[in-house]
Amino acid sequence: MPEGYYDVEISNLALIEACWGAAVADQVIDHVQMRLHHAGLRVAQDDARGRFRIVCNMRRPGFVDHQHLADLPYRLSAEPISIERATNERAALHAVISWQCDNLPRYRSPRDIQVDHQERWFAIYKSDMQIVAYLFRCMKEGRLAPHWQAVRDYRDPGQVLYHEALLRFSEPNEALSPGVVFLALERTGLASTFDWLMVSHVIEELEAHPGVTLGVNISAHSAHLHGWWGSVIEDLRARPGLAQRLVVEITETEPLTHVADAVIFARRLRDCGVTLALDDFGTGYISIRHLMELMPAFVKTDGSFVKRAICPIDPCYALPHIVGLVHALGGTVIVEGVETAGMADLAYVSGAIWQQGYFHGEPGLIRSGITRPLPRLPDYEQRRTPAQWRH
């Protein structure tokens, strides 16, 4: 292996130092070095501050397991680091660990927040980090649980295509909304770490409920084969029955700048039996070109389309056109955000049989099996007559 493979970096160290000072940054460096040592790795600090070089695995001298290194940055990134002693504040932060020479795609660096928000970046980053630290603490303490929300057939709501697993706080009065949490994850560079934990949760749910098909949402940051996906795909290959009950939904809240990596990622998932979906299509960054290259089985339209279509003031009637486009490209459409009977009717006359939203059921802890198996689609590389699998 090339020597550079052994480099690891705290990619948000400059932001940490700018927000909390040099003493806190030094504490974070010491913490990461200690955790690498506890993982059985001998490390040497690089000339660049906050960067380390793995010398060897002390438990197996001369050998460093590739997959161990691939998963380790996410495990370390998920660990809160208390800074109460250094700041006299009851606060924690996370070190965003990057494995430098695993060619990890750089969709957006945490440093981009300085450009995105200019003079407001300082306050936004500190606030985001506290939201993220609270989120990971709740996950560790079991105060977050996967809630299932069904994708139902408009004509027969008893027919469920699959359930999307959505992580929700256990406390009903929790003030943090998913939208706030996910923006904080994206802006701090910890979205992939959260996705790693969420995919692990969903696989555990699939193991516990053999008759169920579940969807899990991942950020565009995670749509590549670098890092933690390697061990997940190996596991799914070994258990094709489980893989066929997993739907991976790529959300488009962030730019999909490394399209080639995402296309390879999508193909590998399909090869082991996983179904691919695009979430929130039509309002974000994923273009028609991306749709054609990724070839998802399911395309979920953003809920804003059905809401705007029934708006009495300046309505927008784009939904039928989006549904028609997806059908023409061979995909199955799922309309999200269906909250009323009127919205459900409108989505259906627009051409969408499958729908998701509060009208068809809120996300909940009630577990119910799925009787309708996911459609087994033809080879995506040979799509010629898409009308065959529109529904």
Side-chain angles (χ1 to χ4, degrees), residues 318-338:
L319 185 60
H321 303 288
I322 294 174
V323 172
L325 169 66
V326 175
H327 282 170
L329 295 174
T332 295
V333 179
I334 299 168
V335 172
E336 291 189 292
V338 176

Side-chain angles (χ1 to χ4, degrees), residues 351-372:
I353 293 170
W354 296 106
Q355 303 176 7
Q356 182 180 0
Y358 277 38
F359 176 72
H360 295 291
E362 298 183 14
L365 291 170
I366 297 175
R367 302 317 195 208
S368 58
I370 294 175
T371 56
R372 178 188 175 93

